[in-house]
Amino acid sequence: MSLSVILLVLLALAVVGYVLGRSRALGSAGGDMQKLHSLPSYYGWNAALMVLIPSLLVLVVWLIVQPIVIHNQVASMISEASIEKSSLDLVMSDVKRVADGLDAAVEAGAMTADQASSIRTEFTDVRDRLGDVGVALGSDVNSETLRAAQRYREIASTGALLRLIVVVGFGLAGLAFAYMRSHRDFRARNVVERVVRWILLSAASIAILTTLGIVLSLIFNTIEFFRVYPAADFFFGLTWSPSFGGGSELGIVPLIWATLYISFIALSVAVPVGLFAAIYLSEYAGPHVRSFAKPMLEVLAGIPTIVYGLFALLTVGPLLVDAFGGGGLFGVDWMQGASSVLTAGFVMGIMLIPFVSSLSDDIINAVPQAMRDGSLGLGATHSETVKQVILPAALPGIVGAILLAASRAIGETMIVVLGAGAAARLSLNPLEAMTTVTAKIVSQLTGDADFASPEALVAFALGMTLFVVTLLLNIAALYIVRKYREQYE
Amino acid sequence: MTDATLGSPLAGPARKKSSLLAVDALTKKRNASEARFKAYGVSAVVIGLLFLVALLWAILSNGLGAFSQTFIQVPVKLDKGAIEAAEKSIVKTSKYRAIINTGFRAELGRAGIDTGMDDRGLQKMMSSGAAATLREFVLANPDQIGRTVTFEFVASSRVDGYLKGRVKREDLINDKNLDAAHLDLIDAMRKADIVTKTFNWQFVLGTDASDSRPEQAGMGASMVGSFFMMLVVLMLSLPIGVAASIYLEEFAPQNWLTDLIEVNISNLAAVPSIVFGILGLAVFIQFAHLPQSAPLVGGLVLTLMTLPTIIISTRASLKAVPPSIRDAALGVGASKMQSIFHHVLPLAMPGILTGTIIGLAQALGETAPLLLIGMVGFIASNFPEGVGDGFLAPNSAMPAQIYEWAKRADPAFYERAWGGIIILLVFLMAMNILAIVLRRRFERRW
């Protein structure tokens, strides 16, 4: 019985519950709404929630537990010999494929359900039969796998049936319970509101769950990685040369170097331009210029990063090659390909301009007017006021803004994937292609590597490093900004 | 105080007199520095705007070409015998190619163009998908067999590029697929009106094509993928975001749990998007075994990413509803829950919707997390069949499709990538304008 059917049944029960709960409550008051404790619809909602919430909770738990139970049951059928030959995970995924194949065969009508649970490898070529219905298997099916697959299907179908009975049973029980309680003295509104409040709380807790999910998925895989690859080599290794055949050297230092280098270039484009733009717009510009230039600059922030990536790869990169490449404008041969640290850094700087400028703008505007007036009244020029009064007062906030921009630069992916290159290098030349932490996360996880190999697992360790670094930067920045805001409030 | 006495006008050397009418050196210096400082500010703004113009110019100049496409008009005689023979053969398309070639030669002969080219050379003029186009037409319209039908076949990407000025004669030395004879032929054909350039609907509505057929690649399938993803994001992030904001803004007591939630939301807003991709890969694909490349998974990941944005803007608009509304509702006997759901929430709705649309626009352009859950690396050559398939069948998304094209070797795909960006930006602009209009029209000032 598929999931959607269960959900539909529950929904129907909830509707029935709503109608029944409401009418019974009204009936107990003799049809006079004023004798009820709550509005009639609350009795209906009470019944509907009583149907849905317990049964859906059970369903979720079931969906999590059932695969684990099946896995354990079936795994016990597999002999030591075949585990030694490959690994339990591989055998189990074979079993699952065969079981899915049998399901597909039954669905396509190539086998009856009886046949599917009784065929033996000794009599039929299962791989051929499954191939006929479009299920391709990598290797021949041995009898042990087939038995396990059949057992898998058995447990799965019993499980599905049990699931339907239990979940719908909970729904019915909830319905009955709510129906019995629907009486004119029952405080339905209070109950419903309490439940709704819990629902609101759980929606708010999704933020915690997300963070937890990020941390757990990073930690488990990182620990797994450090089990197959020494942590010291990872953090202090100077070469990055993954090879999927084994014997990779996975040192993070060149990646960190390129990440910081690109971020540095990006910030040295974004900070002066963004800061001066913010000063001009908040201190000098008239309302007309401001109302035109500020939204225009913010358009830069709304453009997706993939656009900047393409801009780097196809426009800025070739322009730089024309200037610095062999036979180029300056007659020097410093640049081979379009992707380089400078390409990525420069374009990332453009992307960060509105980020720096709008944050600094807020901060400069938060400096009290009295400080400006005082400085101007003493005879300082406008620029002297900005340089000697406003900027020192706003400095902590601006530092916070720059830290936030740095965290953005370090975590930026698409621009470096397209613009920075693929080879890891430790070099000072900004016209050379290098690669960053984020770019390597993408390339290690989109390749064909097996998830258990160090070459794929390293991406989680890289992700963990990235997460920790950006988290620290963000916390520092938020702390500084908040501290600063309080100062003038 | 000794300094003060020493520096007094009586005891010290005579102070230089200055006039208000003549500008002295120091004032000049200070004024110059003032002017300089202002110039820095102006140039910073101008540089920022110039970058914007350069970006838009690069997008438009490179991408507009993708919206027109060269077609070659060829009347093909759909001979019954030839088609039956082709259907029986194992390599059906090559037989259909031969049919097209015959028609093409006849058409060139009619226009008085002498090609002097063999079939293989002639084939390079047209997309390698031309035979499939013909076959699909024949299978769909069996009643047309025996007649002569004029087809508009998609020209190959290099012919297209030559007519758009992307491929130049001097590039031919490095190109194995085309030589000068081809270009002469194109010029002659253009004079004879055999080639036409029309708006490229296939690019906007069609599906992606394999590496060798850039001229047939389109955004349609990935648009559908993005649409289903946005549907998931909207259906999940709006209710969850609103519920979370109501709790935090109206009900949350001052305790450690509330603090924890607040800290988490502000941190999640700044977590790099690639980390959300890792989360999606580990939790939704490795742990929950949801299908790879499915818009459902993409939508779930993007939901988690946009939730902080939506929560922050929703809380701002809830906060903007004046307390007098709440007090009035409570005063006439509503419960706290009723006052919020019946009065505060409807009044805050325009602000909430504006924030949601802006969050959706952000999600629509996001690429990095989609790379990790497998929405690149395959060719989205089919439209999903039905709604369930739309959520669960592997598909691409607009930004992922653009990335995919940018990675391919053939420069003809770059034009498609830029064109794809134009489509993406049009969607983003439409969403942002909608948000602005909503805000202008429904925003209330209290």
PDB file of all heavy atoms in Angstrom, chain B residues 64-88:
ATOM      1  N   LEU B  64      21.976  37.373 -26.645  1.00  0.00           N
ATOM      2  CA  LEU B  64      20.811  37.588 -27.500  1.00  0.00           C
ATOM      3  C   LEU B  64      20.842  36.686 -28.726  1.00  0.00           C
ATOM      4  O   LEU B  64      19.801  36.300 -29.252  1.00  0.00           O
ATOM      5  CB  LEU B  64      20.720  39.059 -27.915  1.00  0.00           C
ATOM      6  CG  LEU B  64      20.161  39.968 -26.822  1.00  0.00           C
ATOM      7  CD1 LEU B  64      20.159  41.412 -27.278  1.00  0.00           C
ATOM      8  CD2 LEU B  64      18.751  39.542 -26.448  1.00  0.00           C
ATOM      9  N   GLY B  65      22.082  36.344 -29.178  1.00  0.00           N
ATOM     10  CA  GLY B  65      22.208  35.471 -30.331  1.00  0.00           C
ATOM     11  C   GLY B  65      21.520  34.140 -30.168  1.00  0.00           C
ATOM     12  O   GLY B  65      21.058  33.532 -31.138  1.00  0.00           O
ATOM     13  N   ALA B  66      21.422  33.677 -28.920  1.00  0.00           N
ATOM     14  CA  ALA B  66      20.821  32.367 -28.692  1.00  0.00           C
ATOM     15  C   ALA B  66      19.340  32.367 -29.038  1.00  0.00           C
ATOM     16  O   ALA B  66      18.747  31.305 -29.214  1.00  0.00           O
ATOM     17  CB  ALA B  66      21.017  31.947 -27.240  1.00  0.00           C
ATOM     18  N   PHE B  67      18.748  33.552 -29.127  1.00  0.00           N
ATOM     19  CA  PHE B  67      17.307  33.589 -29.355  1.00  0.00           C
ATOM     20  C   PHE B  67      16.931  33.569 -30.826  1.00  0.00           C
ATOM     21  O   PHE B  67      15.766  33.552 -31.164  1.00  0.00           O
ATOM     22  CB  PHE B  67      16.694  34.815 -28.674  1.00  0.00           C
ATOM     23  CG  PHE B  67      16.714  34.694 -27.194  1.00  0.00           C
ATOM     24  CD1 PHE B  67      17.758  35.195 -26.456  1.00  0.00           C
ATOM     25  CD2 PHE B  67      15.702  34.019 -26.545  1.00  0.00           C
ATOM     26  CE1 PHE B  67      17.791  35.052 -25.089  1.00  0.00           C
ATOM     27  CE2 PHE B  67      15.735  33.869 -25.179  1.00  0.00           C
ATOM     28  CZ  PHE B  67      16.773  34.379 -24.441  1.00  0.00           C
ATOM     29  N   SER B  68      17.948  33.647 -31.709  1.00  0.00           N
ATOM     30  CA  SER B  68      17.601  33.441 -33.108  1.00  0.00           C
ATOM     31  C   SER B  68      18.376  32.230 -33.603  1.00  0.00           C
ATOM     32  O   SER B  68      19.428  31.891 -33.073  1.00  0.00           O
ATOM     33  CB  SER B  68      17.943  34.680 -33.936  1.00  0.00           C
ATOM     34  OG  SER B  68      19.329  34.883 -33.907  1.00  0.00           O
ATOM     35  N   GLN B  69      17.833  31.576 -34.590  1.00  0.00           N
ATOM     36  CA  GLN B  69      18.433  30.331 -35.041  1.00  0.00           C
ATOM     37  C   GLN B  69      18.296  30.246 -36.550  1.00  0.00           C
ATOM     38  O   GLN B  69      17.270  30.627 -37.115  1.00  0.00           O
ATOM     39  CB  GLN B  69      17.708  29.158 -34.359  1.00  0.00           C
ATOM     40  CG  GLN B  69      18.102  27.798 -34.857  1.00  0.00           C
ATOM     41  CD  GLN B  69      19.519  27.446 -34.417  1.00  0.00           C
ATOM     42  OE1 GLN B  69      19.870  27.648 -33.282  1.00  0.00           O
ATOM     43  NE2 GLN B  69      20.313  26.937 -35.332  1.00  0.00           N
ATOM     44  N   THR B  70      19.351  29.756 -37.199  1.00  0.00           N
ATOM     45  CA  THR B  70      19.322  29.608 -38.642  1.00  0.00           C
ATOM     46  C   THR B  70      18.668  28.289 -39.022  1.00  0.00           C
ATOM     47  O   THR B  70      18.986  27.250 -38.447  1.00  0.00           O
ATOM     48  CB  THR B  70      20.752  29.640 -39.196  1.00  0.00           C
ATOM     49  OG1 THR B  70      21.426  30.742 -38.623  1.00  0.00           O
ATOM     50  CG2 THR B  70      20.748  29.748 -40.691  1.00  0.00           C
ATOM     51  N   PHE B  71      17.749  28.344 -39.943  1.00  0.00           N
ATOM     52  CA  PHE B  71      17.120  27.127 -40.448  1.00  0.00           C
ATOM     53  C   PHE B  71      17.409  26.997 -41.928  1.00  0.00           C
ATOM     54  O   PHE B  71      17.549  27.993 -42.639  1.00  0.00           O
ATOM     55  CB  PHE B  71      15.606  27.179 -40.247  1.00  0.00           C
ATOM     56  CG  PHE B  71      15.195  27.083 -38.806  1.00  0.00           C
ATOM     57  CD1 PHE B  71      15.028  28.224 -38.052  1.00  0.00           C
ATOM     58  CD2 PHE B  71      14.984  25.851 -38.222  1.00  0.00           C
ATOM     59  CE1 PHE B  71      14.666  28.146 -36.726  1.00  0.00           C
ATOM     60  CE2 PHE B  71      14.611  25.769 -36.895  1.00  0.00           C
ATOM     61  CZ  PHE B  71      14.452  26.917 -36.151  1.00  0.00           C
ATOM     62  N   ILE B  72      17.500  25.764 -42.394  1.00  0.00           N
ATOM     63  CA  ILE B  72      17.687  25.519 -43.824  1.00  0.00           C
ATOM     64  C   ILE B  72      16.398  24.916 -44.354  1.00  0.00           C
ATOM     65  O   ILE B  72      15.929  23.899 -43.832  1.00  0.00           O
ATOM     66  CB  ILE B  72      18.868  24.564 -44.073  1.00  0.00           C
ATOM     67  CG1 ILE B  72      20.137  25.182 -43.495  1.00  0.00           C
ATOM     68  CG2 ILE B  72      19.024  24.271 -45.547  1.00  0.00           C
ATOM     69  CD1 ILE B  72      21.352  24.323 -43.683  1.00  0.00           C
ATOM     70  N   GLN B  73      15.838  25.567 -45.380  1.00  0.00           N
ATOM     71  CA  GLN B  73      14.571  25.056 -45.927  1.00  0.00           C
ATOM     72  C   GLN B  73      14.855  24.026 -46.998  1.00  0.00           C
ATOM     73  O   GLN B  73      15.538  24.327 -47.982  1.00  0.00           O
ATOM     74  CB  GLN B  73      13.774  26.207 -46.522  1.00  0.00           C
ATOM     75  CG  GLN B  73      13.211  27.093 -45.442  1.00  0.00           C
ATOM     76  CD  GLN B  73      12.515  28.278 -46.015  1.00  0.00           C
ATOM     77  OE1 GLN B  73      12.825  28.710 -47.118  1.00  0.00           O
ATOM     78  NE2 GLN B  73      11.569  28.804 -45.265  1.00  0.00           N
ATOM     79  N   VAL B  74      14.349  22.841 -46.785  1.00  0.00           N
ATOM     80  CA  VAL B  74      14.581  21.778 -47.755  1.00  0.00           C
ATOM     81  C   VAL B  74      13.249  21.088 -48.063  1.00  0.00           C
ATOM     82  O   VAL B  74      12.617  20.557 -47.156  1.00  0.00           O
ATOM     83  CB  VAL B  74      15.564  20.726 -47.197  1.00  0.00           C
ATOM     84  CG1 VAL B  74      15.792  19.639 -48.223  1.00  0.00           C
ATOM     85  CG2 VAL B  74      16.865  21.360 -46.797  1.00  0.00           C
ATOM     86  N   PRO B  75      12.823  21.119 -49.332  1.00  0.00           N
ATOM     87  CA  PRO B  75      11.655  20.311 -49.689  1.00  0.00           C
ATOM     88  C   PRO B  75      12.094  18.853 -49.809  1.00  0.00           C
ATOM     89  O   PRO B  75      13.009  18.541 -50.563  1.00  0.00           O
ATOM     90  CB  PRO B  75      11.218  20.868 -51.043  1.00  0.00           C
ATOM     91  CG  PRO B  75      12.235  21.858 -51.444  1.00  0.00           C
ATOM     92  CD  PRO B  75      13.349  21.869 -50.479  1.00  0.00           C
ATOM     93  N   VAL B  76      11.459  17.983 -49.047  1.00  0.00           N
ATOM     94  CA  VAL B  76      11.844  16.571 -49.080  1.00  0.00           C
ATOM     95  C   VAL B  76      10.690  15.768 -49.635  1.00  0.00           C
ATOM     96  O   VAL B  76       9.547  15.915 -49.187  1.00  0.00           O
ATOM     97  CB  VAL B  76      12.197  16.069 -47.670  1.00  0.00           C
ATOM     98  CG1 VAL B  76      12.538  14.597 -47.709  1.00  0.00           C
ATOM     99  CG2 VAL B  76      13.355  16.853 -47.104  1.00  0.00           C
ATOM    100  N   LYS B  77      11.015  14.927 -50.606  1.00  0.00           N
ATOM    101  CA  LYS B  77       9.978  14.046 -51.145  1.00  0.00           C
ATOM    102  C   LYS B  77       9.921  12.816 -50.247  1.00  0.00           C
ATOM    103  O   LYS B  77      10.902  12.107 -50.086  1.00  0.00           O
ATOM    104  CB  LYS B  77      10.336  13.644 -52.572  1.00  0.00           C
ATOM    105  CG  LYS B  77       9.217  12.871 -53.260  1.00  0.00           C
ATOM    106  CD  LYS B  77       9.471  12.778 -54.763  1.00  0.00           C
ATOM    107  CE  LYS B  77       8.343  12.116 -55.529  1.00  0.00           C
ATOM    108  NZ  LYS B  77       7.617  11.044 -54.865  1.00  0.00           N
ATOM    109  N   LEU B  78       8.757  12.618 -49.601  1.00  0.00           N
ATOM    110  CA  LEU B  78       8.633  11.495 -48.670  1.00  0.00           C
ATOM    111  C   LEU B  78       8.235  10.253 -49.460  1.00  0.00           C
ATOM    112  O   LEU B  78       7.066   9.881 -49.522  1.00  0.00           O
ATOM    113  CB  LEU B  78       7.595  11.817 -47.601  1.00  0.00           C
ATOM    114  CG  LEU B  78       7.951  13.020 -46.725  1.00  0.00           C
ATOM    115  CD1 LEU B  78       6.840  13.326 -45.761  1.00  0.00           C
ATOM    116  CD2 LEU B  78       9.237  12.772 -45.973  1.00  0.00           C
ATOM    117  N   ASP B  79       9.246   9.631 -50.060  1.00  0.00           N
ATOM    118  CA  ASP B  79       9.004   8.474 -50.910  1.00  0.00           C
ATOM    119  C   ASP B  79       8.694   7.263 -50.048  1.00  0.00           C
ATOM    120  O   ASP B  79       9.401   6.961 -49.091  1.00  0.00           O
ATOM    121  CB  ASP B  79      10.263   8.232 -51.758  1.00  0.00           C
ATOM    122  CG  ASP B  79      10.045   7.083 -52.699  1.00  0.00           C
ATOM    123  OD1 ASP B  79       8.941   7.008 -53.253  1.00  0.00           O
ATOM    124  OD2 ASP B  79      10.966   6.264 -52.833  1.00  0.00           O
ATOM    125  N   LYS B  80       7.600   6.578 -50.370  1.00  0.00           N
ATOM    126  CA  LYS B  80       7.146   5.484 -49.525  1.00  0.00           C
ATOM    127  C   LYS B  80       8.205   4.385 -49.411  1.00  0.00           C
ATOM    128  O   LYS B  80       8.535   3.904 -48.327  1.00  0.00           O
ATOM    129  CB  LYS B  80       5.851   4.900 -50.097  1.00  0.00           C
ATOM    130  CG  LYS B  80       5.154   3.999 -49.106  1.00  0.00           C
ATOM    131  CD  LYS B  80       3.693   3.816 -49.467  1.00  0.00           C
ATOM    132  CE  LYS B  80       2.993   3.117 -48.331  1.00  0.00           C
ATOM    133  NZ  LYS B  80       2.256   1.959 -48.638  1.00  0.00           N
ATOM    134  N   GLY B  81       8.756   4.008 -50.591  1.00  0.00           N
ATOM    135  CA  GLY B  81       9.736   2.929 -50.594  1.00  0.00           C
ATOM    136  C   GLY B  81      10.955   3.270 -49.753  1.00  0.00           C
ATOM    137  O   GLY B  81      11.411   2.467 -48.924  1.00  0.00           O
ATOM    138  N   ALA B  82      11.451   4.478 -49.932  1.00  0.00           N
ATOM    139  CA  ALA B  82      12.669   4.870 -49.223  1.00  0.00           C
ATOM    140  C   ALA B  82      12.430   4.859 -47.709  1.00  0.00           C
ATOM    141  O   ALA B  82      13.276   4.408 -46.932  1.00  0.00           O
ATOM    142  CB  ALA B  82      13.102   6.255 -49.669  1.00  0.00           C
ATOM    143  N   ILE B  83      11.234   5.325 -47.303  1.00  0.00           N
ATOM    144  CA  ILE B  83      10.963   5.383 -45.872  1.00  0.00           C
ATOM    145  C   ILE B  83      10.828   3.994 -45.285  1.00  0.00           C
ATOM    146  O   ILE B  83      11.346   3.696 -44.201  1.00  0.00           O
ATOM    147  CB  ILE B  83       9.704   6.229 -45.620  1.00  0.00           C
ATOM    148  CG1 ILE B  83      10.059   7.700 -45.827  1.00  0.00           C
ATOM    149  CG2 ILE B  83       9.163   6.004 -44.225  1.00  0.00           C
ATOM    150  CD1 ILE B  83       8.896   8.611 -45.863  1.00  0.00           C
ATOM    151  N   GLU B  84      10.148   3.110 -46.027  1.00  0.00           N
ATOM    152  CA  GLU B  84      10.020   1.740 -45.518  1.00  0.00           C
ATOM    153  C   GLU B  84      11.382   1.084 -45.393  1.00  0.00           C
ATOM    154  O   GLU B  84      11.665   0.393 -44.412  1.00  0.00           O
ATOM    155  CB  GLU B  84       9.102   0.928 -46.429  1.00  0.00           C
ATOM    156  CG  GLU B  84       7.649   1.059 -45.990  1.00  0.00           C
ATOM    157  CD  GLU B  84       6.695   0.519 -47.024  1.00  0.00           C
ATOM    158  OE1 GLU B  84       7.166  -0.073 -48.013  1.00  0.00           O
ATOM    159  OE2 GLU B  84       5.480   0.693 -46.846  1.00  0.00           O
ATOM    160  N   ALA B  85      12.230   1.309 -46.394  1.00  0.00           N
ATOM    161  CA  ALA B  85      13.575   0.730 -46.339  1.00  0.00           C
ATOM    162  C   ALA B  85      14.332   1.275 -45.126  1.00  0.00           C
ATOM    163  O   ALA B  85      15.034   0.540 -44.419  1.00  0.00           O
ATOM    164  CB  ALA B  85      14.337   1.058 -47.624  1.00  0.00           C
ATOM    165  N   ALA B  86      14.156   2.572 -44.890  1.00  0.00           N
ATOM    166  CA  ALA B  86      14.858   3.179 -43.766  1.00  0.00           C
ATOM    167  C   ALA B  86      14.368   2.596 -42.447  1.00  0.00           C
ATOM    168  O   ALA B  86      15.157   2.292 -41.547  1.00  0.00           O
ATOM    169  CB  ALA B  86      14.652   4.690 -43.786  1.00  0.00           C
ATOM    170  N   GLU B  87      13.042   2.401 -42.327  1.00  0.00           N
ATOM    171  CA  GLU B  87      12.495   1.875 -41.074  1.00  0.00           C
ATOM    172  C   GLU B  87      12.971   0.461 -40.815  1.00  0.00           C
ATOM    173  O   GLU B  87      13.084   0.024 -39.679  1.00  0.00           O
ATOM    174  CB  GLU B  87      10.964   1.915 -41.106  1.00  0.00           C
ATOM    175  CG  GLU B  87      10.360   3.268 -40.765  1.00  0.00           C
ATOM    176  CD  GLU B  87      10.715   3.734 -39.368  1.00  0.00           C
ATOM    177  OE1 GLU B  87      10.666   2.913 -38.437  1.00  0.00           O
ATOM    178  OE2 GLU B  87      11.072   4.913 -39.215  1.00  0.00           O
ATOM    179  N   LYS B  88      13.216  -0.280 -41.886  1.00  0.00           N
ATOM    180  CA  LYS B  88      13.655  -1.663 -41.707  1.00  0.00           C
ATOM    181  C   LYS B  88      15.129  -1.730 -41.343  1.00  0.00           C
ATOM    182  O   LYS B  88      15.578  -2.700 -40.737  1.00  0.00           O
ATOM    183  CB  LYS B  88      13.395  -2.452 -42.995  1.00  0.00           C
ATOM    184  CG  LYS B  88      11.984  -3.003 -43.042  1.00  0.00           C
ATOM    185  CD  LYS B  88      11.836  -3.979 -44.189  1.00  0.00           C
ATOM    186  CE  LYS B  88      10.369  -4.172 -44.514  1.00  0.00           C
ATOM    187  NZ  LYS B  88      10.060  -3.801 -45.902  1.00  0.00           N
TER     188      LYS B  88
END
